[in-house]
Amino acid sequence: MEVVGRTVAIEASGLGKVYDGVTAIDGLSFQVFAGEIFGLLGPNGAGKSTTLRILITILRPTAGHATVLGHDVVREADRVRHLIGYVPQERAIDRFLTGREHLLLLGDLYHLPKSETRKRIAEILKLVDLEEQADRPARTYSGGMKRKLDLACGLLPNPKILFLDEPTLGLDVQSRLRIWDYVRRLREQGITIVMTTNYLDEADRLCDRLAIIDGGRIKALGSPSELKAGLGGDIISLTVGASETACVDRLASELKGLPSIRAISTKQTGLDIRVESPEKALPVVLEAANRAACRLEFIDYHRPRLDDVFVALTGHAIREEFPKAEEP
Amino acid sequence: MSAYVQEIGALTMRWVRRLSREKFSLVFTLVQPMLFWLIFFGNLFQRTADAQVVQAPNYISFLVAGVVVMTVLNNGLAGGVDLLFDKENGFLERLLSTPIHRTSVVLSRFLFVMTITCLQILVILGVAALFGVRPATGFLGVAVILFIGMLFGVGLTAISMAIAFSVKSHGDFFSALGFLSLPLIFLSSALVPLAAMPAWMSMLARFNPMTWAIDAIRPLILSGWAEALPRLGMVVAIMVVFDAFCLYGSARAFRRTIG
């Protein structure tokens, strides 16, 4: 299958899953191209993991269908399982086994001859830098080491496609960067990567293309730069004084409908204003603030970031519990 | 076929490795608490129990069959718990994303639980021998005791797995387990013969498959083949029905979880 010169590795069309009457995902259609890092980005409960589990054949869709390298994930599940590797979200590790024993076990589950398993284990342990700890029981591993072992397990079958479920969830910054580095190296070796994430910076910096998922539906599909460009214009962020939060709404209604303003989203302590050109819009915005008798504490403008895209598409931030200012 | 053997072998070895890594748990698995029933309970009630009532030379020799089946009960009912942990921490999902036959994980668990149970029964019979209780039917009798234990154990392990696949948390699992196990023991002929029970209890005990297993094993230890054979026929028939029922339920629970 060729689409503008690119090989399609995964094709999902109209995928739906209903659990006990609750719709987890609803009519997802997308393609993943061979050799790219494809991200499913969305908040917790958006349906990312459900989508991933269908693609790796451990959940059956209740609607639609999907193929992985041309094989149907339901009818040819066994074929698909031979071609993929999976790195689950939880630290799916048996604390009593050593790292090497995990890999030996998987070698048998993929029906590899012992010699082949041993050869691959040596290579993979080197790649994820876990050679020294390979013969220690996994219960002595740090979080980062467990993640490396997880990754090693996913790589053991020598997969054409590697599925990663929230690969850096809960990791410290260094471990995160290292995992990103491994993932990029895998892409260089020609492995297609499909990953879920709810980190905007991870999606932005690591993924070649993204599907933004919210409420079980795809809101947008494209490369991070396409998505940001699609939003158009720049963002002016205003922060009002702490005692003046009441004027945020007043200011918003002053700005609404003015020619150089594209969209406005209000936060507790200020406003994000999407504009065509900040040079033209800034005087207008300041004038409006004056009229609304709003004392501004802080003004800042920037190119759209993925979090701006996310808010624009879904109407809410990806993680409500964090104040937006803390997003990198 | 060789692929199937390879994956089941590897999965079973995993359970063995886990057990061998926990030295304490290894020792306490083989020399396990059921022995206390035999040693303490058996000796404690030696004089209280009437040889006429229990129909045995002494209480401890009466109790051996009960302790054997109680061991099968406990092992069987706990047999699913490791799968529950696997389900909870995502290991099961990792296993199921590999090209293994869907039944391999479950089968490896059966193999492991049955092997451990056999070893434990042998330890119990060994300890019983120290107290002077030797099976009247000899080594063949011991083999038949193991066979009955396995027949009962398969059904129990299946129940345990069904609960493991159905519950939301392992708290629920252990509650369900605790709730099941004691009544099953008291409402059986493990500690007291049916004839010595209050009528309502002996009536309920007759519906307990455990009673049938115990009543078949007891003559193998106490009297001999002549008395044991008719009961053996009965227990095999009952256990086949019991196992079929449990396996069916467990297969349904499994399919619901795996989808």
Side-chain angles (χ1 to χ4, degrees), chain A:
Chain A
M1 236 182 307
E2 294 273 319
V3 176
V4 256
R6 303 193 68 179
T7 313
V8 174
I10 297 176
E11 170 106 52
S13 74
L15 277 190
K17 177 72 185 177
V18 180
Y19 292 102
D20 305 324
V22 180
T23 305
I25 56 170
D26 184 13
L28 300 195
S29 299
F30 58 89
Q31 289 176 324
V32 176
F33 298 118
E36 72 177 353
I37 302 177
F38 184 83
L40 296 163
L41 171 70
N44 294 336
K48 297 166 296 179
S49 293
T50 301
T51 310
L52 201 73
R53 283 183 173 77
I54 291 174
L55 294 179
I56 64 167
T57 76
I58 57 180
L59 268 188
R60 279 162 181 265
T62 46
H65 56 86
T67 58
V68 171
L69 298 168
H71 301 287
D72 188 277
V73 294
V74 176
R75 276 174 298 137
E76 300 169 276
D78 209 55
R79 289 289 310 136
V80 172
R81 288 177 197 136
H82 275 282
L83 299 167
I84 62 167
Y86 172 46
V87 180
Q89 177 175 350
E90 304 95 325
R91 303 289 176 270
I93 278 173
D94 185 332
R95 17 188 269 111
F96 294 107
L97 300 187
T98 67
R100 193 183 303 280
E101 284 165 348
H102 277 84
L103 297 167
L104 286 168
L105 170 65
L106 285 168
D108 281 327
L109 302 188
Y110 284 97
H111 313 125
L112 302 173
K114 282 273 181 291
S115 56
E116 173 70 15
T117 303
R118 268 195 288 273
K119 202 181 103 222
R120 285 194 198 175
I121 289 176
E123 287 167 12
I124 291 169
L125 287 176
K126 202 186 199 82
L127 175 78
V128 301
D129 191 21
L130 202 65
E131 284 163 303
E132 277 171 38
Q133 298 89 5
D135 294 306
R136 276 168 39 189
R139 79 186 123 86
T140 64
Y141 286 11
S142 67
M145 281 154 68
K146 284 182 184 164
R147 211 59 194 143
K148 288 180 185 179
L149 176 56
D150 263 337
L151 202 57
C153 289
L155 289 172
L156 188 86
N158 215 349
K160 300 266 190 299
I161 305 181
L162 185 65
F163 291 88
L164 304 163
D165 200 359
E166 306 275 2
T168 64
L169 191 70
L171 288 188
D172 59 80
V173 178
Q174 268 189 327
S175 307
R176 275 185 91 192
L177 293 177
R178 204 169 310 133
I179 298 284
W180 290 2
D181 193 42
Y182 294 141
V183 171
R184 291 197 187 101
R185 245 188 283 170
L186 295 173
R187 176 184 52 189
E188 277 161 34
Q189 295 177 10
I191 299 178
T192 307
I193 314 268
V194 178
M195 56 181 277
T196 68
T197 182
N198 63 24
Y199 294 124
L200 290 154
D201 60 330
E202 181 163 279
D204 198 359
R205 292 166 61 181
L206 190 57
C207 297
D208 297 315
R209 286 195 320 126
L210 288 173
I212 294 183
I213 302 186
D214 190 46
R217 290 168 183 273
I218 291 184
K219 298 290 181 185
L221 200 60
S223 71
S225 50
E226 279 167 10
L227 292 172
K228 285 182 281 191
L231 204 54
D234 287 7
I235 311 284
I236 299 181
S237 285
L238 304 179
T239 308
V240 298
S243 54
E244 300 189 53
T245 50
C247 78
V248 169
D249 290 329
R250 217 156 57 229
L251 181 51
S253 59
E254 279 288 345
L255 288 166
K256 209 159 279 173
L258 293 180
S260 49
I261 311 289
R262 274 203 174 183
I264 303 168
S265 70
T266 58
K267 299 177 293 185
Q268 233 191 346
T269 54
L271 291 166
D272 277 350
I273 307 158
R274 211 137 46 88
V275 299
E276 206 71 68
S277 108
E279 292 81 3
K280 278 190 201 155
L282 213 48
V284 179
V285 169
L286 291 177
E287 216 171 282
N290 235 345
R291 274 203 306 279
C294 234
R295 202 172 57 79
L296 299 177
E297 194 114 290
F298 217 75
I299 304 174
D300 155 62
Y301 75 85
H302 59 85
R303 309 283 313 159
R305 293 179 300 220
L306 209 52
D307 48 346
D308 300 310
V309 176
F310 194 86
V311 171
L313 289 169
T314 66
H316 58 83
I318 194 160
R319 278 189 304 281
E320 308 284 5
E321 64 265 37
F322 291 140
K324 213 171 166 198
E326 277 185 18
E327 283 287 341

Side-chain angles (χ1 to χ4, degrees), chain B residues 183-210:
Chain B
L184 278 172
I185 291 172
F186 290 130
L187 292 174
S188 79
S189 54
L191 308 174
V192 178
L194 289 192
M197 286 185 185
W200 67 273
M201 282 180 83
S202 81
M203 212 270 286
L204 288 175
R206 251 178 265 277
F207 290 98
N208 184 350
M210 213 174 140

Side-chain angles (χ1 to χ4, degrees), chain B residues 144-194:
Chain B
V144 175
I145 291 173
L146 292 179
F147 175 69
I148 297 172
M150 299 305 93
L151 270 183
F152 189 33
V154 165
L156 292 166
T157 309
I159 293 180
S160 174
M161 288 180 187
I163 300 174
F165 286 124
S166 311
V167 291
K168 293 274 182 284
S169 74
H170 58 263
D172 288 354
F173 181 87
F174 289 112
S175 311
L177 217 69
F179 187 80
L180 272 177
S181 105
L182 277 183
L184 278 172
I185 291 172
F186 290 130
L187 292 174
S188 79
S189 54
L191 308 174
V192 178
L194 289 192

